[in-house]
């Protein structure tokens, strides 16, 4: 098939790019989980992955063009005014519309911030 490949020694993870990416991602997600609200339900940890990947790619530089972030290389410039970032796992109050609640009920319910919504202007996933 004329496929070129390179063997790496067993246990030497520095040369394997996938292993290096995992070694970068793991502390980033652990730091994100440690910075959540103390009562954040850990069963929702997978909901935080999208924002974790975005922030990690915003911090890393592109291998193709070191002047850009990895995110900008893949998706273009990140617009912070269209999609503001907030700390993941933060306790929030979700506003309920008048159609969804009684007239004397509280105007909000407790919730958790789990990430930004890339397809909507200044919206978040809660």
């Amino acid at each position: 098939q004329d496929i070129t490949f390179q063997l790496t020694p067993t246990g030497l993870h520095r040369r394997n790019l996938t292993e290096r990416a995992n070694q970068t991602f793991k502390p980033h997600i652990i730091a994100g989980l440690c910075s959540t609200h103390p009562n954040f339900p850990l069963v929702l940890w997978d909901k935080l992955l999208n924002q974790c990947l975005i922030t990690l790619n915003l911090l890393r530089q592109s291998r193709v063009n070191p002047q850009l972030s990895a995110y900008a290389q893949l998706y273009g410039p990140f617009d912070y005014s269209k999609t503001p970032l907030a700390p993941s796992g933060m306790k929030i109050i979700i506003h309920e519309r008048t159609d969804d609640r009684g007239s004397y009920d509280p105007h909000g319910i407790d919730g958790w911030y789990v990430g930004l919504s890339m397809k909507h202007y200044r919206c978040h996933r809660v």
Side-chain angles (χ1 to χ4, degrees):
Q1 296 291 329
D2 295 329
I3 298 174
T4 59
F5 61 92
Q6 181 180 2
L7 296 175
T8 59
T10 305
L12 185 61
H13 300 295
R14 289 181 300 203
R15 293 186 186 172
N16 189 343
L17 292 179
T18 305
E19 285 294 330
R20 279 300 304 143
N22 287 338
Q23 288 174 359
T24 304
F25 178 76
K26 189 175 178 181
H28 190 71
I29 188 69
I30 290 172
L33 288 173
C34 290
S35 65
T36 60
H37 189 276
N39 295 333
F40 180 74
L42 287 179
V43 296
L44 298 176
W45 73 270
D46 60 321
K47 306 291 184 197
L48 305 177
L49 290 177
N50 186 34
Q51 181 160 329
C52 180
L53 288 172
I54 290 171
T55 56
L56 184 62
N57 284 330
L58 284 170
L59 293 170
R60 291 190 311 168
Q61 71 179 6
S62 169
R63 291 179 184 234
V64 178
N65 182 357
Q67 301 295 324
L68 298 174
S69 68
Y71 183 90
Q73 183 68 42
L74 293 172
Y75 306 108
F78 186 83
D79 190 353
Y80 290 94
S81 62
K82 282 178 34 180
T83 51
L85 292 168
S88 297
M90 182 172 59
K91 191 171 186 176
I92 60 169
I93 304 284
I94 304 168
H95 181 263
E96 282 192 304
R97 298 180 312 194
T98 55
D99 299 340
D100 298 335
R101 62 178 166 82
S103 61
Y104 289 100
D105 287 344
H107 293 201
I109 57 173
D110 292 339
W112 302 101
Y113 176 83
V114 293
L116 49 104
S117 178
M118 295 298 289
K119 295 181 180 179
H120 300 92
Y121 181 73
R122 290 190 179 181
C123 289
H124 304 279
R125 293 182 310 121
V126 294

